[in-house]
PDB file of all heavy atoms in Angstrom:
ATOM      1  N   LYS A   9      81.721  60.600 129.017  1.00 98.00           N
ATOM      2  CA  LYS A   9      82.640  59.907 129.901  1.00 98.00           C
ATOM      3  C   LYS A   9      83.783  60.738 130.359  1.00 98.00           C
ATOM      4  O   LYS A   9      84.251  60.645 131.501  1.00 98.00           O
ATOM      5  CB  LYS A   9      83.071  58.505 129.262  1.00 98.00           C
ATOM      6  CG  LYS A   9      82.070  57.489 129.141  1.00 98.00           C
ATOM      7  CD  LYS A   9      82.609  56.309 128.400  1.00 98.00           C
ATOM      8  CE  LYS A   9      81.820  55.062 128.548  1.00 98.00           C
ATOM      9  NZ  LYS A   9      82.204  54.001 127.671  1.00 98.00           N
ATOM     10  N   TYR A  16      78.675  54.643 136.549  1.00 98.00           N
ATOM     11  CA  TYR A  16      79.228  53.273 136.670  1.00 98.00           C
ATOM     12  C   TYR A  16      78.556  52.627 137.868  1.00 98.00           C
ATOM     13  O   TYR A  16      77.958  53.252 138.708  1.00 98.00           O
ATOM     14  CB  TYR A  16      80.775  53.357 136.774  1.00 98.00           C
ATOM     15  CG  TYR A  16      81.412  53.979 135.495  1.00 98.00           C
ATOM     16  CD1 TYR A  16      81.632  55.250 135.534  1.00 98.00           C
ATOM     17  CD2 TYR A  16      81.735  53.152 134.426  1.00 98.00           C
ATOM     18  CE1 TYR A  16      82.264  56.006 134.324  1.00 98.00           C
ATOM     19  CE2 TYR A  16      82.329  53.656 133.288  1.00 98.00           C
ATOM     20  CZ  TYR A  16      82.707  55.052 133.300  1.00 98.00           C
ATOM     21  OH  TYR A  16      83.257  55.639 132.163  1.00 98.00           O
ATOM     22  N   THR A  18      80.190  51.769 140.610  1.00 98.00           N
ATOM     23  CA  THR A  18      80.723  52.266 141.884  1.00 98.00           C
ATOM     24  C   THR A  18      79.973  53.584 142.095  1.00 98.00           C
ATOM     25  O   THR A  18      80.018  53.995 143.351  1.00 98.00           O
ATOM     26  CB  THR A  18      82.209  52.734 141.735  1.00 98.00           C
ATOM     27  OG1 THR A  18      82.286  53.353 140.512  1.00 98.00           O
ATOM     28  CG2 THR A  18      83.137  51.421 141.688  1.00 98.00           C
ATOM     29  N   ASP A  19      79.241  54.182 141.232  1.00 98.00           N
ATOM     30  CA  ASP A  19      78.591  55.382 141.491  1.00 98.00           C
ATOM     31  C   ASP A  19      77.113  55.162 141.840  1.00 98.00           C
ATOM     32  O   ASP A  19      76.487  56.189 142.326  1.00 98.00           O
ATOM     33  CB  ASP A  19      78.493  56.232 140.057  1.00 98.00           C
ATOM     34  CG  ASP A  19      79.794  56.537 139.711  1.00 98.00           C
ATOM     35  OD1 ASP A  19      80.755  56.788 140.464  1.00 98.00           O
ATOM     36  OD2 ASP A  19      80.080  56.653 138.355  1.00 98.00           O
ATOM     37  N   GLN A 173      92.600  40.613 135.542  1.00 98.00           N
ATOM     38  CA  GLN A 173      92.091  41.393 134.585  1.00 98.00           C
ATOM     39  C   GLN A 173      92.274  42.888 134.890  1.00 98.00           C
ATOM     40  O   GLN A 173      92.607  43.776 134.000  1.00 98.00           O
ATOM     41  CB  GLN A 173      90.550  41.377 134.403  1.00 98.00           C
ATOM     42  CG  GLN A 173      90.039  39.935 134.173  1.00 98.00           C
ATOM     43  CD  GLN A 173      89.753  39.069 135.380  1.00 98.00           C
ATOM     44  OE1 GLN A 173      90.164  39.371 136.426  1.00 98.00           O
ATOM     45  NE2 GLN A 173      89.183  37.936 135.134  1.00 98.00           N
ATOM     46  N   GLY A 451      82.978  49.227 127.146  1.00 97.00           N
ATOM     47  CA  GLY A 451      84.241  50.001 126.916  1.00 97.00           C
ATOM     48  C   GLY A 451      84.698  49.832 125.503  1.00 97.00           C
ATOM     49  O   GLY A 451      85.214  50.770 124.847  1.00 97.00           O
ATOM     50  N   GLN A 627      90.874  48.410 119.644  1.00 98.00           N
ATOM     51  CA  GLN A 627      90.911  47.177 120.303  1.00 98.00           C
ATOM     52  C   GLN A 627      92.190  46.424 120.089  1.00 98.00           C
ATOM     53  O   GLN A 627      92.722  45.818 121.078  1.00 98.00           O
ATOM     54  CB  GLN A 627      89.776  46.229 119.699  1.00 98.00           C
ATOM     55  CG  GLN A 627      88.351  46.687 120.139  1.00 98.00           C
ATOM     56  CD  GLN A 627      88.320  46.707 121.603  1.00 98.00           C
ATOM     57  OE1 GLN A 627      88.528  45.770 122.310  1.00 98.00           O
ATOM     58  NE2 GLN A 627      88.093  47.927 122.083  1.00 98.00           N
ATOM     59  N   GLY A 630      94.772  48.118 122.399  1.00 98.00           N
ATOM     60  CA  GLY A 630      94.557  47.837 123.817  1.00 98.00           C
ATOM     61  C   GLY A 630      94.913  46.346 124.141  1.00 98.00           C
ATOM     62  O   GLY A 630      95.484  46.125 125.320  1.00 98.00           O
ATOM     63  N   GLU A 642     103.191  41.241 134.606  1.00 98.00           N
ATOM     64  CA  GLU A 642     102.055  40.878 135.520  1.00 98.00           C
ATOM     65  C   GLU A 642     102.138  39.512 135.960  1.00 98.00           C
ATOM     66  O   GLU A 642     102.304  38.532 135.203  1.00 98.00           O
ATOM     67  CB  GLU A 642     100.725  41.140 134.689  1.00 98.00           C
ATOM     68  CG  GLU A 642     100.567  42.584 134.368  1.00 98.00           C
ATOM     69  CD  GLU A 642      99.237  42.821 133.699  1.00 98.00           C
ATOM     70  OE1 GLU A 642      98.206  42.125 133.866  1.00 98.00           O
ATOM     71  OE2 GLU A 642      99.161  43.608 132.717  1.00 98.00           O
ATOM     72  N   PRO A 663     101.288  47.875 132.514  1.00 98.00           N
ATOM     73  CA  PRO A 663     102.022  48.878 131.508  1.00 98.00           C
ATOM     74  C   PRO A 663     101.601  50.318 131.790  1.00 98.00           C
ATOM     75  O   PRO A 663     100.433  50.473 132.129  1.00 98.00           O
ATOM     76  CB  PRO A 663     101.533  48.374 130.170  1.00 98.00           C
ATOM     77  CG  PRO A 663     101.131  46.946 130.392  1.00 98.00           C
ATOM     78  CD  PRO A 663     100.569  46.849 131.866  1.00 98.00           C
ATOM     79  N   ARG A 664     102.419  51.142 131.669  1.00 98.00           N
ATOM     80  CA  ARG A 664     102.163  52.565 131.852  1.00 98.00           C
ATOM     81  C   ARG A 664     102.445  53.353 130.608  1.00 98.00           C
ATOM     82  O   ARG A 664     102.905  52.723 129.611  1.00 98.00           O
ATOM     83  CB  ARG A 664     102.999  53.181 132.862  1.00 98.00           C
ATOM     84  CG  ARG A 664     102.672  52.686 134.291  1.00 98.00           C
ATOM     85  CD  ARG A 664     103.519  53.157 135.341  1.00 98.00           C
ATOM     86  NE  ARG A 664     103.158  52.581 136.579  1.00 98.00           N
ATOM     87  CZ  ARG A 664     102.300  53.068 137.390  1.00 98.00           C
ATOM     88  NH1 ARG A 664     101.726  54.234 137.267  1.00 98.00           N
ATOM     89  NH2 ARG A 664     101.861  52.387 138.579  1.00 98.00           N
ATOM     90  N   ARG A 666     104.317  55.448 129.338  1.00 97.00           N
ATOM     91  CA  ARG A 666     105.767  55.616 128.790  1.00 97.00           C
ATOM     92  C   ARG A 666     106.286  54.217 128.379  1.00 97.00           C
ATOM     93  O   ARG A 666     107.497  54.141 127.800  1.00 97.00           O
ATOM     94  CB  ARG A 666     106.779  56.295 129.671  1.00 97.00           C
ATOM     95  CG  ARG A 666     106.277  57.730 130.039  1.00 97.00           C
ATOM     96  CD  ARG A 666     105.930  58.640 128.849  1.00 97.00           C
ATOM     97  NE  ARG A 666     106.986  58.741 127.882  1.00 97.00           N
ATOM     98  CZ  ARG A 666     107.856  59.713 127.778  1.00 97.00           C
ATOM     99  NH1 ARG A 666     107.799  60.693 128.596  1.00 97.00           N
ATOM    100  NH2 ARG A 666     108.800  59.804 126.776  1.00 97.00           N
TER     101      ARG A 666
ATOM    102  N   ARG B  31      82.752  62.592 146.323  1.00 98.00           N
ATOM    103  CA  ARG B  31      81.734  61.839 145.705  1.00 98.00           C
ATOM    104  C   ARG B  31      80.488  61.779 146.429  1.00 98.00           C
ATOM    105  O   ARG B  31      79.401  61.716 145.834  1.00 98.00           O
ATOM    106  CB  ARG B  31      82.341  60.513 145.493  1.00 98.00           C
ATOM    107  CG  ARG B  31      83.340  60.379 144.333  1.00 98.00           C
ATOM    108  CD  ARG B  31      84.053  59.025 144.265  1.00 98.00           C
ATOM    109  NE  ARG B  31      83.195  57.813 144.265  1.00 98.00           N
ATOM    110  CZ  ARG B  31      82.579  57.433 143.142  1.00 98.00           C
ATOM    111  NH1 ARG B  31      82.810  58.048 142.057  1.00 98.00           N
ATOM    112  NH2 ARG B  31      81.767  56.373 143.196  1.00 98.00           N
ATOM    113  N   LYS B  37      80.533  62.885 141.338  1.00 98.00           N
ATOM    114  CA  LYS B  37      81.050  61.460 141.128  1.00 98.00           C
ATOM    115  C   LYS B  37      81.895  61.393 139.804  1.00 98.00           C
ATOM    116  O   LYS B  37      82.220  60.260 139.426  1.00 98.00           O
ATOM    117  CB  LYS B  37      79.815  60.672 141.021  1.00 98.00           C
ATOM    118  CG  LYS B  37      79.073  60.355 142.406  1.00 98.00           C
ATOM    119  CD  LYS B  37      78.012  59.499 142.221  1.00 98.00           C
ATOM    120  CE  LYS B  37      77.233  59.326 143.536  1.00 98.00           C
ATOM    121  NZ  LYS B  37      75.971  58.472 143.348  1.00 98.00           N
ATOM    122  N   LYS B  40      86.609  59.493 139.857  1.00 98.00           N
ATOM    123  CA  LYS B  40      86.364  58.156 139.958  1.00 98.00           C
ATOM    124  C   LYS B  40      87.097  57.320 141.134  1.00 98.00           C
ATOM    125  O   LYS B  40      88.248  57.758 141.393  1.00 98.00           O
ATOM    126  CB  LYS B  40      86.716  57.431 138.621  1.00 98.00           C
ATOM    127  CG  LYS B  40      85.848  57.802 137.476  1.00 98.00           C
ATOM    128  CD  LYS B  40      84.327  57.441 137.891  1.00 98.00           C
ATOM    129  CE  LYS B  40      83.332  58.124 137.009  1.00 98.00           C
ATOM    130  NZ  LYS B  40      82.142  58.254 137.737  1.00 98.00           N
ATOM    131  N   GLN B 101      87.591  54.637 125.966  1.00 98.00           N
ATOM    132  CA  GLN B 101      86.894  53.439 125.834  1.00 98.00           C
ATOM    133  C   GLN B 101      85.843  53.213 126.970  1.00 98.00           C
ATOM    134  O   GLN B 101      84.741  53.697 126.852  1.00 98.00           O
ATOM    135  CB  GLN B 101      87.859  52.218 125.628  1.00 98.00           C
ATOM    136  CG  GLN B 101      88.474  52.203 124.241  1.00 98.00           C
ATOM    137  CD  GLN B 101      89.204  51.017 123.871  1.00 98.00           C
ATOM    138  OE1 GLN B 101      88.914  49.867 124.288  1.00 98.00           O
ATOM    139  NE2 GLN B 101      90.118  50.976 123.021  1.00 98.00           N
ATOM    140  N   CYS B 102      86.369  52.420 128.057  1.00 98.00           N
ATOM    141  CA  CYS B 102      85.329  52.311 129.136  1.00 98.00           C
ATOM    142  C   CYS B 102      85.141  53.591 129.733  1.00 98.00           C
ATOM    143  O   CYS B 102      84.078  53.944 130.432  1.00 98.00           O
ATOM    144  CB  CYS B 102      85.774  51.249 130.128  1.00 98.00           C
ATOM    145  SG  CYS B 102      86.945  51.684 131.425  1.00 98.00           S
ATOM    146  N   TYR B 104      86.619  54.982 132.477  1.00 98.00           N
ATOM    147  CA  TYR B 104      86.666  55.074 133.803  1.00 98.00           C
ATOM    148  C   TYR B 104      87.953  55.843 134.310  1.00 98.00           C
ATOM    149  O   TYR B 104      87.857  56.668 135.321  1.00 98.00           O
ATOM    150  CB  TYR B 104      86.675  53.698 134.480  1.00 98.00           C
ATOM    151  CG  TYR B 104      86.134  53.738 135.951  1.00 98.00           C
ATOM    152  CD1 TYR B 104      84.863  53.790 136.236  1.00 98.00           C
ATOM    153  CD2 TYR B 104      87.143  53.524 136.942  1.00 98.00           C
ATOM    154  CE1 TYR B 104      84.455  53.866 137.632  1.00 98.00           C
ATOM    155  CE2 TYR B 104      86.652  53.564 138.271  1.00 98.00           C
ATOM    156  CZ  TYR B 104      85.395  53.724 138.592  1.00 98.00           C
ATOM    157  OH  TYR B 104      84.896  53.690 139.911  1.00 98.00           O
ATOM    158  N   GLU B 127     106.831  65.235 125.457  1.00 97.00           N
ATOM    159  CA  GLU B 127     107.465  64.304 126.326  1.00 97.00           C
ATOM    160  C   GLU B 127     107.100  64.589 127.827  1.00 97.00           C
ATOM    161  O   GLU B 127     106.912  63.689 128.624  1.00 97.00           O
ATOM    162  CB  GLU B 127     108.915  64.264 126.148  1.00 97.00           C
ATOM    163  CG  GLU B 127     109.368  63.802 124.694  1.00 97.00           C
ATOM    164  CD  GLU B 127     109.062  62.468 124.418  1.00 97.00           C
ATOM    165  OE1 GLU B 127     109.589  61.541 125.185  1.00 97.00           O
ATOM    166  OE2 GLU B 127     108.234  62.182 123.693  1.00 97.00           O
ATOM    167  N   ASP B 131     105.259  62.453 130.679  1.00 98.00           N
ATOM    168  CA  ASP B 131     105.683  62.178 131.886  1.00 98.00           C
ATOM    169  C   ASP B 131     104.696  62.441 133.066  1.00 98.00           C
ATOM    170  O   ASP B 131     104.602  61.663 134.031  1.00 98.00           O
ATOM    171  CB  ASP B 131     106.994  62.865 132.132  1.00 98.00           C
ATOM    172  CG  ASP B 131     108.095  62.374 131.454  1.00 98.00           C
ATOM    173  OD1 ASP B 131     108.082  61.220 130.982  1.00 98.00           O
ATOM    174  OD2 ASP B 131     109.156  63.013 131.322  1.00 98.00           O
ATOM    175  N   GLU B 134     102.332  59.489 133.944  1.00 98.00           N
ATOM    176  CA  GLU B 134     102.761  58.065 134.293  1.00 98.00           C
ATOM    177  C   GLU B 134     101.965  57.523 135.521  1.00 98.00           C
ATOM    178  O   GLU B 134     102.096  56.300 135.651  1.00 98.00           O
ATOM    179  CB  GLU B 134     104.255  58.242 134.599  1.00 98.00           C
ATOM    180  CG  GLU B 134     105.170  58.064 133.456  1.00 98.00           C
ATOM    181  CD  GLU B 134     105.254  56.593 132.967  1.00 98.00           C
ATOM    182  OE1 GLU B 134     106.144  55.937 133.493  1.00 98.00           O
ATOM    183  OE2 GLU B 134     104.633  56.331 132.098  1.00 98.00           O
ATOM    184  N   ARG B 139      93.482  50.671 131.121  1.00 98.00           N
ATOM    185  CA  ARG B 139      93.447  49.237 130.831  1.00 98.00           C
ATOM    186  C   ARG B 139      92.861  48.918 129.463  1.00 98.00           C
ATOM    187  O   ARG B 139      93.059  47.914 128.910  1.00 98.00           O
ATOM    188  CB  ARG B 139      92.741  48.509 131.904  1.00 98.00           C
ATOM    189  CG  ARG B 139      93.073  47.007 131.904  1.00 98.00           C
ATOM    190  CD  ARG B 139      94.564  46.649 132.182  1.00 98.00           C
ATOM    191  NE  ARG B 139      94.661  45.343 132.672  1.00 98.00           N
ATOM    192  CZ  ARG B 139      95.827  44.584 132.752  1.00 98.00           C
ATOM    193  NH1 ARG B 139      96.965  45.152 132.265  1.00 98.00           N
ATOM    194  NH2 ARG B 139      95.871  43.465 133.349  1.00 98.00           N
ATOM    195  N   CYS B 140      92.239  49.964 128.836  1.00 98.00           N
ATOM    196  CA  CYS B 140      91.385  49.605 127.474  1.00 98.00           C
ATOM    197  C   CYS B 140      92.359  49.978 126.356  1.00 98.00           C
ATOM    198  O   CYS B 140      92.310  49.277 125.497  1.00 98.00           O
ATOM    199  CB  CYS B 140      90.214  50.290 127.547  1.00 98.00           C
ATOM    200  SG  CYS B 140      88.959  49.890 128.763  1.00 98.00           S
ATOM    201  N   TYR B 143      97.035  53.086 125.485  1.00 98.00           N
ATOM    202  CA  TYR B 143      97.663  54.344 125.670  1.00 98.00           C
ATOM    203  C   TYR B 143      97.979  54.985 124.324  1.00 98.00           C
ATOM    204  O   TYR B 143      98.356  56.189 124.197  1.00 98.00           O
ATOM    205  CB  TYR B 143      98.925  54.262 126.523  1.00 98.00           C
ATOM    206  CG  TYR B 143      98.724  53.800 127.934  1.00 98.00           C
ATOM    207  CD1 TYR B 143      99.220  52.561 128.220  1.00 98.00           C
ATOM    208  CD2 TYR B 143      98.301  54.582 128.848  1.00 98.00           C
ATOM    209  CE1 TYR B 143      99.136  52.036 129.492  1.00 98.00           C
ATOM    210  CE2 TYR B 143      98.157  54.201 130.176  1.00 98.00           C
ATOM    211  CZ  TYR B 143      98.578  52.864 130.537  1.00 98.00           C
ATOM    212  OH  TYR B 143      98.452  52.407 131.774  1.00 98.00           O
ATOM    213  N   GLN B 147      98.218  58.994 123.896  1.00 98.00           N
ATOM    214  CA  GLN B 147      99.370  59.730 123.362  1.00 98.00           C
ATOM    215  C   GLN B 147      98.996  60.683 122.147  1.00 98.00           C
ATOM    216  O   GLN B 147      99.545  61.833 122.149  1.00 98.00           O
ATOM    217  CB  GLN B 147     100.344  58.720 122.777  1.00 98.00           C
ATOM    218  CG  GLN B 147     101.051  57.852 123.960  1.00 98.00           C
ATOM    219  CD  GLN B 147     101.887  56.834 123.416  1.00 98.00           C
ATOM    220  OE1 GLN B 147     101.968  56.500 122.276  1.00 98.00           O
ATOM    221  NE2 GLN B 147     102.772  56.169 124.435  1.00 98.00           N
TER     222      GLN B 147
END
Side-chain angles (χ1 to χ4, degrees):
Chain A
K9 283 175 170 177
Y16 297 90
T18 48
D19 300 325
Q173 300 92 349
Q627 285 311 293
E642 293 183 36
R664 291 172 183 273
R666 299 309 304 262
Chain B
R31 286 171 54 81
K37 292 185 185 172
K40 292 300 168 208
Q101 286 192 25
C102 88
Y104 202 76
E127 295 295 298
D131 283 342
E134 274 285 275
R139 197 58 159 164
C140 294
Y143 303 104
Q147 291 172 349

